[in-house]
Amino acid sequence: MTSMTTYKPHWIREDFIDFVGEKIHPTWALKKVKASIVNIQAVSPDFFKIQLRPNYNFNRGSFQAGQNIAVTLRLDGVRHQRHYSIVTILKNGDVIIAVKQQGKVSRALILLQLGAVVELSQPQGEFTLLNSPKPILFLASGSGITAIYSLLQKAVVQFQHRIDLIYFTRDDAFHAEIKTLALMHPHLKYHHFNTVEHKQHLSQQLLNKLVPDFEQREIYACGSAGMMKTALKIADKLAVKSSFHSEYFQIAMDEKAKAQPVQFLRSQQEFQAESNLLESAEQAGLRPAHGCRMGICNTCSCTKVSGSVKNMLTGEIDHGSNTPIKLCISQAVSPVVINL
């Protein structure tokens, strides 16, 4: 009896198809979202709007104001990924993001030539407008204005109730655009503070003065660590956290905490953690998977086997065993073992 072997076709790999496709056109890909840079425009000396033209894999219809995309580019042979809020999506499908000239990846992105290709994620994030009858208060500082401006553009059209924006800025990025919005939409009240000219910072007294009914509003905040810390304290004190919505772009660590020994169990690596666990591992020459570096995505999520870590966003300390953490927003406050 003759043995028969069933033929099983060998499917061509996706990465090979993408390799061939990009020879035809640099943004062609089977599933990946690739985009070419078509314009870079300064909105302040160190803040730039970048216009990206994604391929047909980008789902523009899923975008909600306030969301972000992960931008991936290769530097010195290593893939790096950062998240940037989407300012807007144009009618032709082009995506506008705003990038502050800080950090290795952001500086490299700003210096790319027109026509350069980067990889994008789909729109993501939960910092979006609620369909609420309450009036709105927006709080913004620094690069946080990107997400807030995205929300603001939608809010002035979608709602007719009162909207206030308090914006603390050193460089007046998007200031002219916001003034124009305020002129076009009388229900928007714009409170602008240039912190170079006036040393004004967020406080409960300022909120009481500018927006006396702020406790009855939906509050959306995005900005620097100092402003966010103050906003959270006010929200906690006045018990309005259910109406407080936030996104972080800078995360403050506890400078008083001592460096702690950290062990990556599976890779048998040990290092001293002086900052957050992700940066400390990188400083030790390790390369854990990561994405946004601000606790939005779950790329750096892992299991803490033992030890205590502080959540740098909430201030909560986790003493449990075998609990999930995110490396980018976790600071060791005791010796820690991680299942990596």
Side-chain angles (χ1 to χ4, degrees):
M1 184 175 179
T2 306
S3 174
M4 299 293 292
T5 302
T6 303
Y7 172 70
K8 296 181 180 180
H10 180 72
W11 297 107
I12 300 175
R13 288 172 46 175
E14 180 185 333
D15 55 358
F16 178 74
I17 296 175
D18 289 351
F19 174 77
V20 174
E22 70 181 13
K23 303 302 178 184
I24 302 170
H25 191 279
T27 62
W28 197 96
L30 187 63
K31 296 178 182 178
K32 292 179 181 177
V33 179
K34 292 185 177 182
S36 58
I37 295 176
V38 296
N39 191 31
I40 299 178
Q41 176 188 354
V43 294
S44 78
D46 63 348
F47 209 6
F48 296 81
K49 283 198 296 187
I50 299 181
Q51 184 173 342
L52 301 162
R53 184 159 296 164
N55 62 15
Y56 49 81
N57 292 324
F58 186 69
N59 185 8
R60 59 176 293 195
S62 70
F63 168 66
Q64 297 182 64
Q67 288 188 311
N68 63 83
I69 52 172
V71 179
T72 302
L73 66 159
R74 191 176 293 274
L75 300 175
D76 302 323
V78 178
R79 284 166 57 88
H80 294 266
Q81 186 181 84
R82 295 292 183 274
H83 286 237
Y84 300 97
S85 292
I86 298 173
V87 177
T88 191
I89 295 181
L90 304 181
K91 290 182 179 180
N92 70 348
D94 285 2
V95 178
I96 307 293
I97 61 174
V99 178
K100 201 165 184 69
Q101 196 170 4
Q102 57 187 13
K104 180 179 180 180
V105 177
S106 294
R107 286 195 296 268
L109 189 58
I110 290 166
L111 294 174
L112 289 177
Q113 298 294 315
L114 299 186
V117 174
V118 296
E119 188 177 326
L120 308 181
S121 70
Q122 299 292 353
Q124 57 191 350
E126 299 177 357
F127 190 59
T128 55
L129 286 175
L130 296 180
N131 188 17
S132 169
K134 292 183 179 181
I136 296 172
L137 170 60
F138 291 117
L139 302 173
S141 67
S143 58
I145 191 59
T146 308
I148 294 296
Y149 180 55
S150 177
L151 292 176
L152 183 65
Q153 292 175 93
K154 181 178 181 181
V156 293
V157 175
Q158 180 173 333
F159 304 115
Q160 290 305 310
H161 46 243
R162 177 70 179 264
I163 299 170
D164 283 73
L165 165 61
I166 302 176
Y167 177 29
F168 304 93
T169 174
R170 295 176 59 86
D171 54 22
D172 285 348
F174 295 101
H175 176 50
E177 291 92 332
I178 297 169
K179 284 199 300 181
T180 300
L181 274 182
L183 290 172
M184 294 172 61
H185 302 278
H187 60 301
L188 168 61
K189 181 69 174 177
Y190 178 34
H191 312 275
H192 165 255
F193 294 97
N194 185 301
T195 55
V196 175
E197 299 172 0
H198 307 283
K199 301 299 181 183
Q200 180 65 62
H201 302 287
L202 181 65
S203 67
Q204 187 176 336
Q205 291 75 17
L206 182 68
L207 290 176
N208 287 328
K209 177 183 176 182
L210 299 178
V211 191
D213 67 339
F214 76 91
E215 293 181 55
Q216 283 73 52
R217 299 202 180 198
E218 296 291 352
I219 303 172
Y220 298 86
C222 187
S224 65
M227 189 200 79
M228 297 302 293
K229 186 176 181 180
T230 300
L232 277 169
K233 282 185 177 179
I234 295 171
D236 279 334
K237 177 183 177 182
L238 301 177
V240 295
K241 287 196 74 173
S242 62
S243 299
F244 182 82
H245 320 283
S246 62
E247 182 140 281
Y248 294 80
F249 279 85
Q250 296 178 20
I251 303 170
M253 62 172 289
D254 185 353
E255 301 289 348
K256 297 179 181 179
K258 296 180 180 179
Q260 298 290 340
V262 176
Q263 179 185 2
F264 280 5
L265 196 60
R266 285 185 283 126
S267 57
Q268 297 183 334
Q269 301 286 341
E270 295 185 9
F271 56 91
Q272 288 289 115
E274 296 182 355
S275 57
N276 68 61
L277 292 175
L278 176 59
E279 290 184 358
S280 297
E282 290 176 331
Q283 290 167 5
L286 306 178
R287 292 183 177 177
H290 63 274
C292 65
R293 291 179 176 266
M294 62 182 81
I296 297 175
C297 72
N298 291 305
T299 309
C300 68
S301 293
C302 56
T303 299
K304 173 173 65 69
V305 178
S306 63
S308 301
V309 298
K310 181 177 182 179
N311 184 311
M312 296 161 60
L313 296 183
T314 66
E316 296 177 357
I317 296 180
D318 179 354
H319 300 290
S321 300
N322 298 312
T323 56
I325 63 170
K326 296 179 182 180
L327 296 177
C328 66
I329 58 170
S330 297
Q331 181 176 3
V333 294
S334 80
V336 172
V337 178
I338 297 172
N339 188 24
L340 276 178

